[in-house]
Amino acid sequence: MKKNWLIAIDAGHGKYTPGKQTPDGAKEWHFNNKVVQTIEKRLGKANGIKYIRVDDPTGEKDRSLIERVKLANIKQADLYISIHHNANTGKWGTWTGVETFVMMPKSKNPKSTIAAQCIHPKVVKAMALKDRGIKEANYFVLKETTMPAILIEGGFMDSTIDIKRIRDRKRLEMQGNAIVEGILEYISLIKDRF
């Protein structure tokens, strides 16, 4: 195993990013940050793994995607994980589920796909929500990072189903722990395959 793995962690958006909230005004960043804080706590104790947080940990500034990706690329992170919670229409509804995105096409990003396959099922189980699968997207943080990257949507903030879990601090901690377990599995697989 390489001496130290570096994981770039990104709590999506900031406290004041327009539109990134529940229909009743709870900000997405607060949910994302709780997950990230659990990841930080666990990775801070892991041997051979370090992390950098590429968003603004206070949430006061919505650090641009360019800045986030640039920091991860300069630091030569080994894996980039962006934490989000989804929205559909911005009005309450019954859509539900967890989905994880990798850069399209998946075939050109085998390590990103492996990371998603290690992490996504664990997040689905932790949140106890519908599995919406691993999907492809051209999101900036997936396209412009020089390392494998995934973006996790841990449930819908405008879902009457999902919001009960998203507002549960213990459930968000479970999501963070699930992501760390997936990271450890990914590292174990990568060191054997590549």
Side-chain angles (χ1 to χ4, degrees):
M1 184 192 276
K2 63 182 279 186
K3 188 172 181 184
N4 278 310
W5 288 75
L6 181 63
I7 312 299
I9 311 167
D10 176 6
H13 311 297
K15 291 179 188 174
Y16 310 109
T17 309
K20 304 301 181 183
Q21 62 187 34
T22 65
D24 57 4
K27 301 296 184 177
E28 179 184 354
W29 182 84
H30 291 290
F31 305 129
N32 301 343
N33 187 51
K34 285 176 186 160
V35 175
V36 168
Q37 285 176 331
T38 300
I39 296 170
E40 289 179 299
K41 194 179 297 182
R42 285 280 308 277
L43 289 184
K45 297 175 184 174
N47 288 331
I49 304 175
K50 295 181 181 278
Y51 70 88
I52 55 167
R53 187 157 174 180
V54 298
D55 66 305
D56 172 17
T58 70
E60 294 299 319
K61 179 182 182 230
D62 190 356
R63 189 173 285 165
S64 75
L65 298 181
I66 293 170
E67 291 176 289
R68 295 175 195 226
V69 167
K70 183 178 180 182
L71 179 57
N73 288 345
I74 287 171
K75 296 289 188 179
Q76 299 182 334
D78 298 291
L79 179 63
Y80 188 107
I81 301 177
S82 189
I83 310 297
H84 292 259
H85 291 85
N86 222 338
N88 188 4
T89 66
K91 297 180 181 179
W92 294 114
T94 56
W95 35 81
T96 182
V98 172
E99 52 196 9
T100 299
F101 291 90
V102 297
M103 181 60 194
M104 57 193 303
K106 287 186 212 174
S107 60
K108 291 194 177 178
N109 295 277
K111 290 183 183 178
S112 296
T113 301
I114 292 168
Q117 290 168 341
C118 291
I119 294 169
H120 175 79
K122 292 173 177 56
V123 174
V124 171
K125 184 175 179 184
M127 296 303 285
L129 294 171
K130 178 182 175 181
D131 183 350
R132 295 173 63 91
I134 297 169
K135 301 179 178 181
E136 298 177 348
N138 263 329
Y139 298 145
F140 189 88
V141 297
L142 304 178
K143 183 170 61 174
E144 299 299 328
T145 43
T146 57
M147 71 289 306
I150 66 172
L151 186 148
I152 301 165
E153 296 278 10
F156 284 84
M157 297 182 298
D158 56 359
S159 164
T160 55
I161 300 163
D162 297 13
I163 195 61
K164 293 171 187 170
R165 289 174 177 82
I166 293 171
R167 283 188 167 139
D168 182 342
R169 184 177 189 89
K170 287 186 180 175
R171 189 68 70 173
L172 293 179
E173 289 172 356
M174 288 169 66
Q175 184 184 153
N177 284 320
I179 291 167
V180 172
E181 293 304 317
I183 290 169
L184 297 175
E185 182 181 332
Y186 167 77
I187 289 172
S188 176
L189 287 172
I190 289 298
K191 70 183 176 69
D192 292 336
R193 291 191 199 180
F194 293 90

